[in-house]
Amino acid sequence: MREQPSNTGETGGTDRVRLSCVVNGEKVSALVEPHLTLLSFLRQELKLLGVKEGCGEGECGACTVIMNGNAVNSCLTLALEAEGARILTVEGLSNGGGLSALQEEFVKHDALQCGFCTPGMLMSARALLDRNPDPGTEEIKEAVAGNLCRCTGYYPILEAITAAAKREREGEQR
Amino acid sequence: MTPREFNHVGEEALRFEARDKVTGRAAYVHDLELPGMLHAKVLHSPWAHARITAIDASVARDLPGVKAVLTGEELPYLLGLYMVDKPILARGKVRYQGEPVVAVAAVDEATAERALALVRVDYERLPAVLSVDAALAAQTLVHEDIGRLEYIKGAFFPVPGSNIASWHKTIRGDVEGAFAAADYIMASELSLPQVAHAPLETHVAVAKADPCSNRVEIWTSAQSPFAVRNLLAKAFGLSHNEITVRVPFVGGGFGGKAGIHLEPLAVALSRASGGLAVKIRATREEECNQLPCREGLRGRIKTGVSRDGRITAMQVCYDWDGGAYADYSVNIGRAAGYSGAGPYEIANIELHSRTLYTNKVYGTAYRGFGHLETHWVIERHMDMIAQKLNLDPYELRLKNLLREGSLTISGERIAADSGRPDHCLQAVAKEIGWQGYRSQAEREAALKSGKARGKGLAALHKAPAMPSTTATAAVMQLNEDGTVRLMLGAVDMGQGVYTVMAQIAAEVLDLPLHKVKVVAETDTDKNPYDWQTVASKYSFMGGNAVMRCAQDVLRQLKETAARVLRCPVEELAHGGERIYHVHHPDKALSYKQLAVGYGFENGNGIGGPIIGHGRYIAEGLTNLDANGQGLPALDWTYGAHGAEIEVDVETGEIEVIKIASAFDVGKALNPALARSQVIGGVVQGLGSALCEQFIYTPEGRLLNPSFADNKIPTAKDIPGQIVPILIENPQLDGPFGARGVGEHPMISVPSVIANAVYDALGINFFELPLTPERIALAVAKQENQAG
Ligand code: FES
Ligand code: FES
């Protein structure tokens, strides 16, 4: 278990509150300012820098993480809302070193260019495949519609998610 | 089966940094933290144009946690690539809403923000210049000192006492005579607004100034590390040796991160804070209203046409809404001077391209460097000529396209290996099943059904817009095990340049691709020089440099091998990671044996570490003369789009069913990555076509500096089908025949969509974007007129 002292938001002087949750399978406990966002908690406290900030206003999806099975914009979520929750970030996708099928298909289909949207995109895709292992193209588009990508034109991303879904249905470990 | 021509060139190698990008390990400046690092925030001008009468920052300076507060008064510097016109913080007056006025560095962003709230700035408002007409009227000047500004003479032409940052002219042939002899004269006016680049990673820079010396270290999300160093050195009076610029992965650039942006302010704040590292990260709002955008354009065009559809005369006036500072806009205006007639042979032309100062956020390079804008004017106008003459717009274009032997409007003769615009146009016409405009009867029937379909075509061309002496270099070192480290000056912001350069190196050296490592952070202290990663020039220039670099390595390998094998160098060949004798292939030495010097059995050593270098400078280019004549183009990449769309007559919504896009890339060095550029560029172009634009209040405040109000395409907005077509007519001086294609896919996308909308509705549109409201209103107006 990791004990995190929180010093973000510092000089304001609100009372800190204890937050306990599970991040990428690891128990985490920390004292946090009530107004701290989940995004800042993950990036600044836990140093999970794969979680990106593209707007901080809930409009781009770069900060997407999975909380209790749902893809959420961590910039719009308060850290304290994650009390007791299970959080998955991009860092938790490749268990034990090897890439997951989803990550591999992103690589194979060239579903990324600058890569800045990629962590969030992967998490929206992951949440979709967890609730629907056989999504159609429209469902995939719907699931990643909140994740903006300025580079790829989205097609390779849709193809990658479709291919990953197929592999996972065929019994491959994700 | 024919033997494969190449082992690596033309292969669909996967981009090598992809693994780091799908695991979250790829490091961006966004993620950089240094010990004791401060965070900076900026106070912006609330007004488009105002005099600063007083600034009181005393309370802010006393706030605990604040380490530095700067105003323009402390920063007597002007910066600029071509026109030296931009202060680091506004001095004396503000020229656009969003312009930085005061900056604070503090222990964290929240403290910096609190400090800014304590700063008082008094303004006296001035009338604002908010349109090209207002700029031309020159009742109000954005830069009163325009006549005294420093600028690059001979390339740019500022007009004292006006808002004209540069007035470029291209004059060729007998324009008056050709108009007099023309069978038809057609004129139109088209325009398009400013738009945002919208990279997902906003601009961000970290600077650390050494308090005991002039040394400065900078980490920045930028496309031009060497240009940042150069401009900073000039502005601050530093030696290039005192400045280090590092660029790790960049989260999208598209031209918006070319040149110099937040870096000087970060440096100034770090100095003012006693040398602590300072990070400045633009918010999404600042990305829109503080940092540059794509400039707006109004184009007025008049052409003389013969009865059979030859364009014999052209008069164009491009007026660029360049915003408050000239940045790249003046050079965009200049590029329009030699490419602004489209990929056509126009013997008689008079072209004016005026980059205007306005009190808006300033414009800069954006994927295509003005060509999307000028092709909006040209490619729409071409269709309107076809309509007027009752010609097929496909035939009209074919008839006028540049071909071998044609002269461009700057007097450059097109060569046999320059590429084939006609092949591109033919390919897309075939792909979308082009059969000419539909008839008016067909249109009317479709309108009644509520869904109107149409098809369109558009062509394009672009050459890199760059100084005639633009240069680049590559350095390569063999490691002890015979693998290769390749150092470039270019930045990979997602275009895949590292992967492609590794392919070229592996090809020349005949190595497995995984044995070539491209050093992925560009560091001006370590990497060889490159001008800037812009203009789709790197595949061509960097590719040539890397080829020469690998050849240099081979030469050195052979030199040592010749001494060991006791034979002339000329009798040695390479292959399979070995240098061998051509007549006795078993007489061979592996790269590994030679990499850091060869050791004989008795212990003698010869050779030494092998380090190759290759350089490339644009060859044979010239400046333009007073009439815009000369050789500015390293190579032309031609392209064309064909689109099929459906308009919902009721809502005005356009659905893109299919878009086919062909480019003569000479040789696709990596077809998969080239297709990725096409698909991404086309969708980006659809943003400009259908939804993106900056909207201002009448006072000049930007109304939509967010993704919520300035929508860019999402996964739900993509066309039914995008068909990338790569045509390969090799360019003799390109690496393996290749030409660049990074920017081109975006050019002419708005034109092709609007041309298809004409086919569907019989209505011509002159302004972008083609929003549902704009379409629905035009349909209603047409129905009213008919009814
Ligand atoms: S950073 Fe959270 S949605 Fe953009
Ligand atoms: S890969 Fe650059 S934003 Fe998606």
Side-chain angles (χ1 to χ4, degrees):
Chain A
M1 177 157 146
R2 280 154 78 173
E3 181 71 23
Q4 303 289 341
S6 171
N7 53 9
T8 313
E10 41 347 88
T11 42
T14 11
D15 286 338
R16 292 186 190 156
V17 183
R18 178 150 302 272
L19 163 67
S20 303
C21 56
V22 176
V23 179
N24 297 333
E26 197 181 340
K27 279 190 194 156
V28 174
S29 177
L31 285 172
V32 299
E33 303 277 339
H35 66 263
L36 188 73
T37 63
L38 180 58
L39 172 67
S40 296
F41 178 67
L42 295 170
R43 279 182 64 87
Q44 291 165 27
E45 305 293 317
L46 303 188
K47 306 292 175 203
L48 293 170
L49 298 175
V51 187
K52 299 300 185 218
E53 178 179 339
C55 69
E57 308 174 323
E59 297 292 343
C60 77
C63 64
T64 307
V65 300
I66 299 179
M67 183 160 98
N68 293 331
N70 296 315
V72 298
N73 286 331
S74 63
C75 71
L76 287 190
T77 308
L78 288 177
L80 289 177
E81 292 176 58
E83 176 59 32
R86 299 186 68 81
I87 309 270
L88 188 69
T89 73
V90 69
E91 287 87 350
L93 275 184
S94 42
N95 288 328
L99 296 187
S100 63
L102 181 61
Q103 289 167 306
E104 256 177 37
E105 294 304 323
F106 263 62
V107 175
K108 272 193 211 157
H109 287 86
D110 204 31
L112 53 98
Q113 290 183 27
C114 80
F116 206 77
C117 71
T118 311
M121 198 66 85
L122 283 165
M123 299 324 286
S124 289
R126 181 70 268 146
L128 168 69
L129 298 186
D130 285 346
R131 67 173 187 271
N132 179 0
D134 193 6
T137 307
E138 288 312 309
E139 285 161 290
I140 298 177
K141 283 187 190 172
E142 196 62 50
V144 299
N147 293 84
L148 297 179
C149 175
R150 194 56 153 171
C151 301
T152 64
Y154 302 103
Y155 285 88
I157 293 172
L158 307 181
E159 284 166 15
I161 297 172
T162 307
K166 181 156 178 285
R167 274 175 64 181
E168 288 181 8
R169 284 199 307 281
E170 285 163 0
E172 222 179 296
Q173 278 276 312
R174 52 169 178 88
Chain B
M1 216 178 102
T2 49
R4 280 202 336 206
E5 205 183 345
F6 301 115
N7 289 320
H8 303 292
V9 162
E11 285 298 291
E12 310 214 323
L14 298 174
R15 68 177 71 233
F16 83 93
E17 78 282 10
R19 234 188 138 75
D20 283 342
K21 288 180 175 173
V22 296
T23 53
R25 298 173 58 85
Y28 301 80
V29 180
H30 182 74
D31 306 319
L32 180 69
E33 265 185 67
L34 296 176
M37 187 174 82
L38 305 176
H39 296 266
K41 282 278 163 193
V42 166
L43 190 69
H44 303 97
S45 162
W47 308 116
H49 199 192
R51 215 180 312 285
I52 301 172
T53 52
I55 300 182
D56 180 0
S58 52
V59 190
R61 284 182 216 273
D62 290 343
L63 191 73
V66 170
K67 303 290 180 183
V69 179
L70 288 177
T71 69
E73 286 318 302
E74 288 111 318
L75 299 170
Y77 309 106
L78 283 182
L79 284 101
L81 290 146
Y82 304 115
M83 292 288 294
V84 184
D85 63 359
K86 189 169 176 295
I88 298 173
L89 293 170
R91 287 167 61 80
K93 71 173 192 171
V94 288
R95 295 185 175 86
Y96 67 99
Q97 179 256 318
E99 178 162 13
V101 178
V102 180
V104 171
V107 290
D108 54 46
E109 288 190 358
T111 308
E113 255 161 25
R114 270 198 300 278
L116 287 179
L118 301 171
V119 174
R120 254 198 69 162
V121 184
D122 295 330
Y123 297 95
E124 182 189 313
R125 288 181 63 189
L126 299 166
V129 177
L130 295 171
S131 65
V132 294
D133 282 326
L136 288 169
Q139 297 288 327
T140 301
L141 295 186
V142 180
H143 292 267
E144 295 83 355
D145 55 354
I146 183 167
R148 297 191 300 277
L149 292 175
E150 224 185 283
Y151 65 98
I152 299 183
K153 309 232 162 32
F156 303 103
F157 309 94
V159 180
S162 81
N163 287 310
I164 302 173
S166 186
W167 185 335
H168 181 94
K169 295 173 193 150
T170 301
I171 299 177
R172 187 175 177 77
D174 172 14
V175 180
E176 230 175 274
F179 270 114
D183 294 324
Y184 298 93
I185 292 178
M186 291 276 308
S188 18
E189 177 179 320
L190 295 104
S191 64
L192 65 170
Q194 291 179 322
V195 303
H197 299 74
L200 263 277
E201 182 193 35
T202 56
H203 283 70
V204 53
V206 177
K208 203 167 101 187
D210 181 346
C212 311
S213 76
N214 279 335
R215 278 200 42 80
V216 172
E217 282 176 279
I218 297 166
W219 293 259
T220 178
S221 183
Q223 294 173 231
S224 321
F226 291 89
V228 168
R229 186 177 68 167
N230 189 37
L231 294 169
L232 205 67
K234 268 196 208 152
F236 287 178
L238 299 174
S239 149
H240 288 64
N241 254 343
E242 290 169 327
I243 304 169
T244 307
V245 180
R246 300 194 183 95
V247 178
F249 286 117
V250 175
F254 315 115
K257 291 178 184 169
I260 190 162
H261 297 291
L262 296 175
E263 299 87 354
L265 183 55
V267 170
L269 286 168
S270 176
R271 282 184 167 176
S273 318
L276 291 172
V278 174
K279 183 176 199 171
I280 311 187
R281 183 177 63 105
T283 61
R284 183 53 57 184
E285 182 176 352
E286 289 169 330
E287 186 66 26
C288 297
N289 71 3
Q290 174 188 331
L291 288 148
C293 61
R294 187 174 73 203
E295 51 289 303
L297 174 68
R298 179 184 70 192
R300 288 178 168 155
I301 180 168
K302 189 170 99 174
T303 45
V305 191
S306 69
R307 196 158 291 116
D308 65 344
R310 276 291 305 178
I311 299 169
T312 51
M314 187 182 276
Q315 223 170 33
V316 202
C317 189
Y318 289 127
D319 284 316
W320 301 90
D321 184 351
Y325 297 102
D327 204 80
Y328 279 95
S329 293
V330 282
N331 201 30
I332 289 167
R334 181 177 182 269
Y338 55 83
S339 65
Y344 303 108
E345 183 170 18
I346 314 284
N348 306 293
I349 185 164
E350 178 181 345
L351 182 153
H352 299 266
S353 184
R354 297 183 288 198
T355 303
L356 304 173
Y357 284 129
T358 56
N359 290 119
K360 292 173 161 179
V361 60
Y362 61 107
T364 193
Y366 180 13
R367 199 174 193 169
F369 209 69
H371 290 60
L372 178 143
E373 299 93 300
T374 53
H375 282 77
W376 167 245
V377 177
I378 296 293
E379 285 303 276
R380 286 264 50 238
H381 186 74
M382 288 301 280
D383 257 44
M384 291 187 273
I385 294 175
Q387 293 160 25
K388 168 127 179 200
L389 271 62
N390 213 359
L391 289 173
D392 181 334
Y394 171 74
E395 299 296 340
L396 175 75
R397 285 187 173 84
L398 276 185
K399 191 164 283 178
N400 289 283
L401 281 174
L402 290 165
R403 67 202 70 225
E404 183 183 350
S406 301
L407 290 173
T408 68
I409 59 171
S410 78
E412 176 193 346
R413 193 168 293 283
I414 295 298
D417 70 328
S418 297
R420 297 290 297 267
D422 52 336
H423 288 182
C424 299
L425 189 63
Q426 284 156 354
V428 298
K430 181 157 171 250
E431 181 61 39
I432 63 159
W434 173 260
Q435 289 180 329
Y437 285 138
R438 57 188 48 210
S439 67
Q440 197 51 36
E442 284 173 293
R443 277 187 201 122
E444 272 156 26
L447 276 173
K448 285 206 186 81
S449 79
K451 300 269 190 193
R453 285 205 174 196
K455 291 180 184 176
L457 297 169
L460 63 104
H461 71 163
K462 181 180 182 297
M466 59 187 201
S468 61
T469 55
T470 299
T472 192
V475 173
M476 199 183 268
Q477 178 155 21
L478 292 200
N479 299 312
E480 298 91 311
D481 62 355
T483 57
V484 167
R485 220 158 71 244
L486 175 58
M487 320 268 289
L488 307 168
V491 171
D492 197 330
M493 47 209 157
Q495 76 279 42
V497 54
Y498 294 160
T499 307
V500 170
M501 292 303 129
Q503 287 177 264
I504 290 177
E507 185 68 49
V508 177
L509 294 171
D510 194 19
L511 270 178
L513 187 57
H514 71 266
K515 293 204 173 175
V516 181
K517 168 164 125 185
V518 178
V519 177
E521 184 181 82
T522 308
D523 178 329
T524 55
D525 277 358
K526 297 174 184 154
N527 295 54
Y529 173 84
D530 177 62
W531 173 59
Q532 314 191 36
T533 308
V534 296
S536 311
K537 61 108 171 86
Y538 199 76
S539 289
F540 188 104
M541 296 190 57
N544 274 322
V546 170
M547 279 180 83
R548 291 175 182 181
C549 183
Q551 283 155 359
D552 188 30
V553 163
L554 285 177
R555 185 184 56 74
Q556 296 178 36
L557 284 167
K558 285 180 185 169
E559 261 171 27
T560 309
R563 291 164 66 191
V564 179
L565 301 175
R566 290 192 223 121
C567 66
V569 169
E570 299 74 48
E571 287 173 15
L572 294 174
H574 75 283
E577 300 171 64
R578 298 177 332 146
I579 303 292
Y580 62 89
H581 195 282
V582 279
H583 302 311
H584 313 282
D586 50 325
K587 271 180 82 175
L589 291 168
S590 67
Y591 288 0
K592 183 177 166 182
Q593 284 173 290
L594 298 164
V596 292
Y598 182 80
F600 286 102
E601 244 164 61
N602 72 352
N604 285 168
I606 58 164
I610 291 188
I611 302 178
H613 81 280
R615 358 176 244 183
Y616 189 85
I617 183 161
E619 283 155 16
L621 303 190
T622 70
N623 295 325
L624 299 174
D625 68 16
N627 285 331
Q629 300 299 296
L631 305 176
L634 184 64
D635 64 321
W636 291 97
T637 304
Y638 297 108
H641 302 283
E644 180 170 17
I645 57 120
E646 183 173 277
V647 184
D648 183 316
V649 176
E650 200 67 34
T651 65
E653 249 160 87
I654 297 172
E655 188 196 330
V656 182
I657 297 163
K658 177 172 180 173
I659 177 158
S661 305
F663 302 91
D664 192 345
V665 298
K667 168 78 189 168
L669 298 169
N670 182 325
L673 293 183
R675 283 197 303 272
S676 288
Q677 286 307 299
V678 175
I679 293 170
V682 165
V683 171
Q684 210 169 36
L686 286 172
S688 292
L690 300 174
C691 54
E692 295 176 32
Q693 62 177 323
F694 275 174
I695 302 172
Y696 288 87
T697 65
E699 292 77 41
R701 163 174 279 277
L702 182 61
L703 269 174
N704 56 346
S706 70
F707 282 134
D709 299 319
N710 179 34
K711 302 253 185 247
I712 66 169
T714 74
K716 292 208 286 194
D717 303 318
I718 59 178
Q721 210 189 345
I722 297 182
V723 185
I725 302 169
L726 303 176
I727 290 171
E728 298 185 312
N729 294 305
Q731 174 91 19
L732 295 182
D733 52 352
F736 301 95
R739 301 184 193 92
V741 72
E743 302 164 287
H744 304 74
M746 192 170 172
I747 303 168
S748 279
V749 171
S751 325
V752 79
I753 298 299
N755 289 348
V757 169
Y758 171 80
D759 188 39
L761 303 175
I763 303 175
N764 282 309
F765 287 85
F766 301 88
E767 279 170 77
L768 285 175
L770 302 169
T771 56
E773 305 77 66
R774 184 165 272 152
I775 303 276
L777 276 173
V779 171
K781 197 169 143 206
Q782 190 189 45
E783 277 169 359
N784 284 344
Q785 279 165 359

